Amino acid sequence: MLRLTRKCLGRTRHIPCSQHPRPTQRARRSYVSVTSLDNLPKPGEQLHGFTLKRRKHVPELELTALQFQHDKTGADYLHVAREDKNNVFSIAFKTNPPNDTGVPHILEHTTLCGSERYPIRDPFFKMLPRSLSNFMNAFTSSDHTSYPFATTNQQDFKNLMSVYLDATLHPLLDANDFNQEGWRIGPENPTPMPSKGSKADMEGKLVFKGVVYNEMKGQMSDASYLYYIRFQDHIFPAIHNSGGDPQAMTELTHDQLKKFHSANYHPSNSKIFSYGNFPVESHLIEVGARLQNFDQSGRDAEIKEPVRMDNGPLQVTIGGPIDPLVDKDMQYKTSTSWLMADSSDVLETFSLSLMSTLLLDGYGSPLYRSLIEAGIGPDFSPNTGFDASSRRSIFSVGLTGVKVEDVPKVKEIIEKTLRDVHLQGFDGSKVDGILHRLELGLKHKTANFGMGLMQRLQPGWFNGVDPFDALAWEKTISDFKAKMAQGHYLEDLLEKYLLNDRSLTFTMEPSATYGDELAREESARLSAKIEHHVAQVGDKTAALKQLVEREQQLLSVQQKAQDQDLSCLPTVHVKDIPRQADRKETRDSKIDAVSLQWREAPTNGLTYFRAINTLENLPDELRQFIPLFTDSIMRLDTRHQTVEQIEDLIKLKTGGIGASYHSSTSPHDFSVCHEGLSFSGFALDRNVSAMYDLLNTVVLETDFDSPEAEGRIRELLQGSASGAISSIAESGHAYARRVAHAGLTPEGRLTEQLSGLTQVKLVAELASRPAEQGLADVIEKLKAIQKFAFSNSSSMRVALTCGAESTQANEAELQRFLSSMPPATRPISSNLASKSFTSINAKTFFPLPYQVYYGALALPTVPFTHPDGPSLQILAQLLTHKHLHHEIREKGGAYGGGAYSSGLGGVFGFYSYRDPNPQNSLSIMQSAGRWGRDRDWTDRDLEEAKLSVFQGLDAPESVSAEGMKRFITGISDDMAQQRRERLLDVSAPAVKAVAQKYLVDGFDDRANVAFLGEKKPWVREADGWSFQDLGMSDSPAIDTSGNQ
């Protein structure tokens, strides 16, 4: 997986000494305490080929860090011991890209396609259903590539570590894998291997193909990503595009890929990381055994530097695609950037990051007000912010959606704002607010702390930042406060780095011919490659035949891999899954008519609040404006305070507050749906009263009649519209799924209306409304929602998570809060007909400016408590891993495809993502039920499908999420336990039966289909397709992963 930016977690385990005897003459003690220095190895100790160089206990993070070095190869190994059952491992390599061919990215994919110890095709994907991991992936960053996973199961940890180490250090790097994952030339829609005596189809259109090639065509065609990556090309010319530029990728050869691996994927060039409560000694045994056959090798220690700006301001302008959801006169993107401190200076880097937050974060921040609130552009540019992931940090600020005449103004306004801030100084209370947020962040117990820690440490670690310095949180804060006490500290930093003309201004101007130019370039490059191949072979017919036969050979390899013997791969087993779920005890009470759920747990002195106000008979004309309402109450002034004052109080007193739309299906009947408004927040126990006051203020006192209200609401709308086209391009399959669900269940219709293409269309229409027309009608609807948002009645229910010691105080504060609410007010009913894109048995197509497609097919099934639900959930995993991934992704060329079963939603569905062959994918989806019915499912198949389900079901939860499923959905512990047991007991006959019952019988009368993409002749009204126009059908096509 490409990382799109350079920025790229129990009880102590008591392990008897006899389990890990030291392979010397005497047994050594076991390190039974996870974080205590007394029970951990000491600097200079040697263990399994490693020497401990140093260690550090960090009490504020409740962890102990140990840094080892491998004696033979010099490999760096950082282990973070912490009382957290969600253990993490990663091996990463420095991979400075030598050019723009994307060799680090393609290598990341191909290393996972088979290795010496696991010589099967795609062991990474094959391990997904053989593991209980809650995270498995690989990332290509700008100058390094990492392979991380997370799991709570110790055997699973050992299994995955073995697969990851062998995949990275001993990959097969087969030519067929390079062709599949990298690039190749082949027929657009290849026929199967010809039978004996028949002729191969050589008349089909030849195209560039390859998983990474298509992925990067999509990335490079997204205006936001393109702006960011081209900016990086110019500010960091020494670092090439690690993901790959399609125009250069077709120059990469298989031999070059193997040489890049040999040069870079060596232990001497690696950084190894582990985290959690599993004993480090067992990790060292495994890793040491894998590294012992390597010798010391050269390490790529080169740290790339950004462009020099000593000679004054640099200016770069490039062309880019048009955003069809944004006004045609607001198509420019521009930003200005400065080089900042050396990232190894942890204190100064922290201080500059905090300064960036002060300048940019929130509606009251100086640069937001002078740029966005002033109407120069609707949103910040993709590169805006402080980036310390490289050795030299960078600060950038800019805008999207800028008019051509305003482009030069942007830099002028930025510079004037910075000078004004320097003159006026930073507000100390705002600094205190940010430090308070950071304090709460330390106390907040998250389920993915280890993975987040790895991702924060790794970029700096590869660029010379000492990870121990980066972990020294308390010292950094203490040093920062000391500097602040001396006076003018942040202002001096601003002057040092930003009040100068050593900057880069980077602008992307719209080009109406951009898409056509890309297509012409690719066509010319393809023709040249084919001509070169013909010249090499010496005969055109023989050359074309060779390309077709190579494609068919790949198809044959892919087909054989479907039934490959996987016995060499390690696995955990269903027997490793506890039959009894770990219950998080809750209790219920009432305050007047309001129902209250309590979850008492260790929270480090924090209280978490969640409330849902259930609404009945909410009319569509109001419901569709709830997202705008929840955004507006955090953007507008209240009757007595400005939004800036409110933001400051939120930072000083809470960890955040918010509001959103809520809907949930009944676990017993998916035709029954509840909806309402949801409110949340968390704070230190001593600040709970202030949190409630702030919620009351923003919900009930936001002033929609203020002179500034309409302008700020328009600003919110334009900001949302400016990011919508990128959102659809990135997650088009999710939008297609929502459309397909909309005609099947009430909750599906509501979700589509509030977070689907219906909402996108509404926002785009309102954002483009002429200023003279105004938004008075919209504001009246927002005021109507405000009247019934809060109510002290039986429609309101509350959940509190806190320590047992604060229960009494919390109950008193909540009673005070509820007593301040108005009584229930019913929404005004409406006679407007429901606006939904689909009904049941619909085929809906959205003409959008993409040359690839996003699709979904969905059918109604059963509610959560129905006995068939677990079998459907297992069937979805079986179809994904045994059929759809193979047919839609590997053979069909889509970037992704699969099946899903929404247990609570009562829907079974299929999807494809960045799909060049939508007709083929739709046919596969339509026949998948019959395939699942006719397949002879083995015990191993069922075992893998159950493991896949329980990866998510038993994934660790943050303390704030404990008990929330019951509160939000109404699924009791008994319901969840019953479903768990049914999942564990699903049989092959049950899977085949539900495939027949729900995916075959009555399929044609119940299935909803939705596709997004360029309208072509295969989509015809005569075949039952209906068309929905989002107002972009006349826009030039944008290839979002185009393909094959």
Side-chain angles (χ1 to χ4, degrees):
M1 175 185 289
L2 177 70
R3 301 208 65 162
L4 299 188
T5 67
R6 297 196 191 277
K7 308 172 188 179
C8 285
L9 318 148
R11 287 171 51 188
T12 302
R13 300 184 63 87
H14 295 279
I15 309 297
C17 292
S18 59
Q19 282 191 248
H20 299 296
R22 179 181 172 88
T24 61
Q25 292 183 348
R26 66 180 179 86
R28 65 173 295 113
R29 66 187 181 279
S30 172
Y31 305 119
V32 295
S33 178
V34 174
T35 62
S36 172
L37 289 173
D38 293 338
N39 294 309
L40 288 167
K42 294 178 173 57
E45 285 196 51
Q46 295 181 325
L47 296 90
H48 312 291
F50 288 88
T51 299
L52 181 65
K53 294 298 184 181
R54 55 182 178 158
R55 61 184 190 170
K56 182 183 184 69
H57 183 58
V58 187
E60 63 270 26
L61 297 179
E62 301 175 323
L63 60 83
T64 297
L66 300 94
Q67 186 167 20
F68 297 89
Q69 187 174 66
H70 189 243
D71 300 331
K72 194 174 180 184
T73 66
D76 288 329
Y77 187 147
L78 178 66
H79 176 72
V80 177
R82 196 165 187 257
E83 296 282 7
D84 190 339
K85 65 181 182 180
N86 200 20
N87 288 257
V88 175
F89 177 84
S90 168
I91 183 167
F93 304 90
K94 185 80 167 181
T95 50
N96 280 318
N99 47 47
D100 289 337
T101 60
V103 59
H105 190 188
I106 295 173
L107 181 59
E108 175 224 306
H109 279 241
T110 50
T111 56
L112 300 174
C113 288
S115 64
E116 291 180 7
R117 182 174 290 194
Y118 306 110
I120 62 168
R121 206 154 196 280
D122 289 339
F124 176 80
F125 283 106
K126 301 296 194 304
M127 279 300 295
L128 287 172
R130 300 169 73 89
S131 164
L132 286 170
S133 66
N134 53 78
F135 187 93
M136 279 179 66
N137 218 324
F139 297 113
T140 301
S141 298
S142 60
D143 61 0
H144 65 278
T145 305
S146 58
Y147 297 80
F149 67 81
T151 182
T152 61
N153 183 285
Q154 193 162 6
Q155 184 59 51
D156 196 31
F157 190 98
K158 293 177 180 177
N159 293 348
L160 291 171
M161 183 193 293
S162 177
V163 172
Y164 270 55
L165 289 172
D166 206 59
T168 54
L169 298 174
H170 304 287
L172 298 178
L173 300 182
D174 184 82
N176 280 315
D177 296 326
F178 172 75
N179 293 335
Q180 174 183 288
E181 299 297 319
W183 75 275
R184 67 191 187 277
I185 297 173
E188 185 174 23
N189 294 296
T191 59
M193 180 71 75
S195 58
K196 200 170 185 180
S198 67
K199 293 184 179 180
D201 175 17
M202 293 185 291
E203 302 301 321
K205 177 184 176 184
L206 292 174
V207 295
F208 284 124
K209 312 176 84 169
V211 172
V212 177
Y213 183 81
N214 294 323
E215 178 188 358
M216 295 315 299
K217 282 184 68 177
Q219 295 288 7
M220 298 296 284
S221 300
D222 171 22
S224 293
Y225 175 83
L226 181 66
Y227 180 88
Y228 179 84
I229 206 67
R230 291 300 185 225
F231 160 76
Q232 292 288 356
D233 288 344
H234 286 86
I235 202 162
F236 258 104
I239 299 183
H240 293 277
N241 186 344
S242 62
D245 188 328
Q247 297 183 13
M249 291 174 74
T250 51
E251 296 304 311
L252 182 67
T253 68
H254 180 222
D255 188 56
Q256 290 169 346
L257 181 89
K258 292 192 292 184
K259 287 180 179 178
F260 187 81
H261 176 271
S262 178
N264 294 279
Y265 277 48
H266 189 280
S268 301
N269 198 42
S270 70
K271 305 286 187 188
I272 303 169
F273 175 91
S274 59
Y275 163 92
N277 66 354
F278 294 161
V280 64
E281 190 164 355
S282 63
H283 305 343
L284 295 174
I285 293 172
E286 176 69 17
V287 177
R290 297 305 184 92
L291 303 191
Q292 67 179 355
N293 294 326
F294 290 88
D295 295 316
Q296 184 87 27
S297 178
R299 174 178 301 202
D300 184 357
E302 184 181 4
I303 297 173
K304 303 291 187 178
E305 292 289 337
V307 66
R308 296 184 65 87
M309 301 184 190
D310 299 340
N311 296 324
L314 306 178
Q315 294 191 18
V316 177
T317 300
I318 66 167
I322 290 173
D323 187 334
L325 272 181
V326 175
D327 189 299
K328 61 182 177 60
D329 295 326
M330 300 170 60
Q331 291 287 335
Y332 284 77
K333 298 175 175 67
T334 187
S335 65
T336 298
S337 303
W338 290 263
L339 303 182
M340 307 288 271
D342 186 316
S343 297
S344 63
D345 187 334
V346 172
L347 172 60
E348 191 156 287
T349 299
F350 170 83
S351 304
L352 290 170
S353 176
L354 189 145
M355 183 181 75
S356 171
T357 301
L358 291 168
L359 291 169
L360 290 164
D361 187 46
Y363 298 119
S365 64
L367 287 166
Y368 184 95
R369 301 186 86 168
S370 64
L371 292 169
I372 298 177
E373 189 174 294
I376 306 301
D379 201 1
F380 285 123
S381 59
N383 61 333
T384 293
F386 179 72
D387 180 359
S389 60
S390 299
R391 182 60 177 261
R392 188 76 180 271
S393 57
I394 299 169
F395 176 77
S396 304
V397 59
L399 292 174
T400 64
V402 180
K403 296 178 181 178
V404 61
E405 62 267 25
D406 288 338
V407 170
K409 297 179 185 177
V410 175
K411 182 181 179 183
E412 296 172 6
I413 293 170
I414 293 169
E415 291 177 332
K416 182 181 184 305
T417 304
L418 295 176
R419 290 195 300 269
D420 291 345
V421 171
H422 179 259
L423 182 64
Q424 296 163 9
F426 289 101
D427 187 336
S429 65
K430 294 183 185 296
V431 175
D432 292 341
I434 295 173
L435 294 177
H436 175 259
R437 276 288 181 88
L438 295 173
E439 178 192 356
L440 264 62
L442 291 181
K443 290 180 173 290
H444 178 54
K445 293 185 174 182
T446 65
N448 59 350
F449 181 90
M451 189 61 65
L453 186 67
M454 182 274 293
Q455 292 174 344
R456 287 194 297 273
L457 292 176
Q458 211 164 60
W461 195 11
F462 272 110
N463 283 284
V465 178
D466 188 334
F468 277 37
D469 289 346
L471 287 171
W473 180 256
E474 193 171 88
K475 182 181 187 303
T476 301
I477 295 295
S478 176
D479 291 348
F480 172 76
K481 290 180 177 179
K483 288 281 190 180
M484 287 293 291
Q486 295 173 14
H488 223 252
Y489 174 55
L490 292 176
E491 292 80 4
D492 288 344
L493 288 177
L494 190 153
E495 180 179 13
K496 176 181 178 181
Y497 290 109
L498 300 180
L499 296 189
N500 60 68
D501 224 2
R502 298 186 297 275
S503 62
L504 168 67
T505 297
F506 185 77
T507 302
M508 180 184 285
E509 59 185 8
S511 171
T513 62
Y514 181 81
D516 291 337
E517 290 169 2
L518 280 183
R520 284 195 298 269
E521 185 282 330
E522 184 180 51
S523 178
R525 180 163 37 92
L526 177 63
S527 295
K529 284 289 182 183
I530 294 174
E531 289 175 7
H532 178 70
H533 183 65
V534 170
Q536 283 186 318
V537 175
D539 179 80
K540 182 176 181 179
T541 300
L544 295 179
K545 181 180 179 181
Q546 190 179 93
L547 291 174
V548 172
E549 288 178 344
R550 186 175 67 179
E551 187 74 13
Q552 291 176 336
Q553 179 189 12
L554 178 58
L555 283 172
S556 176
V557 171
Q558 292 168 338
Q559 188 65 39
K560 290 177 181 177
Q562 196 169 14
D563 298 311
Q564 199 169 16
D565 179 10
L566 306 181
S567 58
C568 67
L569 280 178
T571 185
V572 290
H573 301 279
V574 170
K575 66 183 181 182
D576 298 322
I577 302 171
R579 192 167 183 84
Q580 181 67 43
D582 181 18
R583 298 195 178 203
K584 306 298 183 183
E585 295 299 327
T586 60
R587 62 180 178 87
D588 300 317
S589 67
K590 278 202 166 188
I591 295 180
D592 299 327
V594 176
S595 297
L596 174 57
Q597 174 185 291
W598 294 91
R599 167 64 182 155
E600 293 162 338
T603 62
N604 281 338
L606 296 174
T607 292
Y608 299 91
F609 165 84
R610 183 78 176 257
I612 295 173
N613 188 20
T614 304
L615 304 173
E616 296 183 1
N617 302 316
L618 183 62
D620 283 355
E621 64 176 1
L622 293 184
R623 178 187 300 109
Q624 62 185 344
F625 285 95
I626 286 180
L628 182 58
F629 171 80
T630 57
D631 286 344
S632 296
I633 60 175
M634 305 303 293
R635 173 65 187 98
L636 304 184
D637 297 339
T638 67
R639 296 185 185 94
H640 306 291
Q641 293 171 296
T642 67
V643 65
E644 183 177 1
Q645 292 170 326
I646 293 292
E647 283 185 332
D648 289 345
L649 285 171
I650 291 173
K651 291 175 183 175
L652 278 168
K653 298 296 183 180
T654 79
I657 60 173
S660 62
Y661 174 76
H662 162 80
S663 65
S664 182
T665 299
S666 165
H668 306 286
D669 183 354
F670 63 73
S671 68
V672 176
C673 175
H674 304 284
E675 65 176 330
L677 278 161
S678 174
F679 306 93
S680 61
F682 74 100
L684 292 168
D685 292 341
R686 66 174 183 266
N687 290 330
V688 167
S689 176
M691 176 182 70
Y692 289 148
D693 290 342
L694 285 163
L695 277 165
N696 226 336
T697 299
V698 299
V699 175
L700 300 179
E701 296 184 19
T702 292
D703 189 0
F704 290 100
D705 292 320
S706 71
E708 300 85 7
E710 182 170 320
R712 292 179 178 177
I713 292 170
R714 185 180 298 277
E715 167 196 312
L716 287 172
L717 290 165
Q718 290 177 341
S720 296
S722 72
I725 195 70
S726 294
S727 177
I728 298 171
E730 187 65 29
S731 305
H733 60 305
Y735 285 95
R737 282 169 56 165
R738 294 183 193 118
V739 173
H741 293 189
L744 302 180
T745 69
E747 203 269 342
R749 184 182 77 86
L750 298 180
T751 299
E752 205 290 320
Q753 187 181 13
L754 274 291
S755 60
L757 293 175
T758 300
Q759 185 70 199
V760 170
K761 184 174 183 178
L762 173 68
V763 168
E765 290 174 347
L766 293 175
S768 61
R769 182 185 284 187
E772 58 271 18
Q773 187 175 341
L775 296 172
D777 57 328
V778 174
I779 291 174
E780 287 304 311
K781 292 180 173 66
L782 299 180
K783 290 164 65 177
I785 295 171
Q786 186 179 34
K787 290 178 181 177
F788 58 74
F790 264 172
S791 68
N792 184 6
S793 69
S794 59
S795 66
M796 179 76 84
R797 51 195 174 93
V798 174
L800 286 177
T801 300
C802 62
E805 71 281 357
S806 64
T807 300
Q808 188 173 353
N810 263 309
E811 187 165 16
E813 289 296 346
L814 180 61
Q815 188 155 21
R816 181 189 67 82
F817 175 50
L818 294 172
S819 66
S820 68
M821 292 183 184
T825 302
R826 298 177 67 86
I828 301 172
S829 296
S830 168
N831 293 322
L832 290 179
S834 170
K835 297 180 180 179
S836 176
F837 282 129
T838 62
S839 57
I840 200 164
N841 192 29
K843 294 167 68 176
T844 310
F845 190 88
F846 291 81
L848 292 174
Y850 310 130
Q851 292 179 4
V852 290
Y853 296 83
Y854 306 85
L857 183 154
L859 306 97
T861 53
V862 295
F864 183 86
T865 55
H866 194 283
D868 286 347
S871 298
L872 285 163
Q873 195 168 353
I874 297 299
L875 174 62
Q877 293 297 323
L878 289 167
L879 290 176
T880 296
H881 293 290
K882 301 298 181 181
H883 183 51
L884 299 170
H885 173 82
H886 175 69
E887 295 293 331
I888 295 177
R889 185 182 189 272
E890 291 186 350
K891 292 170 65 176
Y895 190 64
Y900 59 93
S901 178
S902 174
L904 189 62
V907 170
F908 192 100
F910 307 89
Y911 68 91
S912 68
Y913 174 65
R914 289 183 177 170
D915 191 348
N917 295 308
Q919 291 172 277
N920 179 59
S921 296
L922 180 55
S923 176
I924 292 166
M925 295 175 190
Q926 290 169 332
S927 63
R930 294 191 297 275
W931 191 92
R933 176 200 62 192
D934 297 338
R935 173 88 170 187
D936 290 328
W937 299 110
T938 66
D939 290 344
R940 181 66 241 176
D941 292 335
L942 291 173
E943 177 114 334
E944 292 181 0
K946 292 174 184 180
L947 289 170
S948 296
V949 168
F950 278 88
Q951 288 173 4
L953 200 61
D954 286 352
E957 286 185 314
S958 300
V959 66
S960 58
E962 294 174 356
M964 284 299 103
K965 179 187 288 186
R966 175 179 184 261
F967 176 73
I968 295 170
T969 67
I971 297 174
S972 68
D973 286 344
D974 289 341
M975 290 182 206
Q977 180 62 33
Q978 182 184 55
R979 187 176 178 92
R980 181 185 188 89
E981 293 174 6
R982 287 172 172 171
L983 281 166
L984 291 169
D985 295 339
V986 168
S987 65
V991 168
K992 294 162 75 75
V994 295
Q996 175 70 40
K997 184 175 181 180
Y998 299 103
L999 305 188
V1000 178
D1001 295 342
F1003 178 92
D1004 294 336
D1005 299 323
R1006 299 183 302 117
N1008 271 6
V1009 177
F1011 269 81
L1012 289 60
E1014 185 181 3
K1015 184 180 177 183
K1016 288 191 175 180
W1018 67 271
V1019 189
R1020 301 180 302 175
E1021 289 185 8
D1023 293 330
W1025 289 97
S1026 64
F1027 298 91
Q1028 296 293 338
D1029 186 9
L1030 294 182
M1032 297 185 286
S1033 57
D1034 295 329
S1035 303
I1038 300 170
D1039 184 347
T1040 67
S1041 177
N1043 182 47
Q1044 316 171 14

